[in-house]
Amino acid sequence: MTKVSLNAMLMEHEHEVFGKPISAYTDQDAIDDGFIVDLGRLTNVGFRGLPINRMTRHLFDKLTPFVEAEAPLFDGSFGKALSSILRTKCQFAQGSEGNSGEVGDIYSIPPNLWLVRNEVGGWTAMYPEDY
C-alpha cells in the first residue's frame, strides 16, 4: 500500500470516528492573526533542503533587537541580518529521535529553540512553548 493511500485511509477513518472537523486554523489564519510571521520576503535561509519560511511572533519579537543591532553590518538590511542569525543557529540543530522526514519533525537548537517542519513546504522557527 502506498503512503498516499494509507494516509487517505487514516484520514477517512478519523472522519468516521470523530466526524468532519468543525473548523481548521490554517497557516494563513495564523499569519492574519499575527501569531506567525511569514519570512518569505525577509530571508532565504534553508535547512535540510527546505526554507525557514515561518517564525512565531513571540520569537520574532524577541530576536528583533538583536537583528536590528546586527543590521548595520549588512548595509542596514534587517532581512540579511536575520538570515545571518538563522544560518548560524541552524549549525547547532539536532534532530529529534522520532523524526520521519515529514511535517511535524522537530530539530532543537540550543539553548531553547525549535525548527518544526510545517505544512507550507518549510520550517517554522519557534520557542518550544509556542508549539
Side-chain angles (χ1 to χ4, degrees), residues 43-94:
T43 69
N44 62 352
V45 178
F47 178 73
R48 299 188 59 81
L50 298 171
I52 300 174
N53 58 3
R54 300 289 186 265
M55 182 179 288
T56 58
R57 171 62 62 183
H58 180 204
L59 176 56
F60 187 83
D61 290 346
K62 292 284 187 176
L63 278 179
T64 293
F66 299 101
V67 175
E68 288 173 342
E70 293 293 314
L73 300 173
F74 298 92
D75 298 322
S77 172
F78 185 93
K80 288 179 181 177
L82 178 59
S83 295
S84 176
I85 289 170
L86 289 173
R87 276 190 205 96
T88 300
K89 293 224 171 260
C90 285
Q91 294 177 30
F92 301 99
Q94 298 280 329

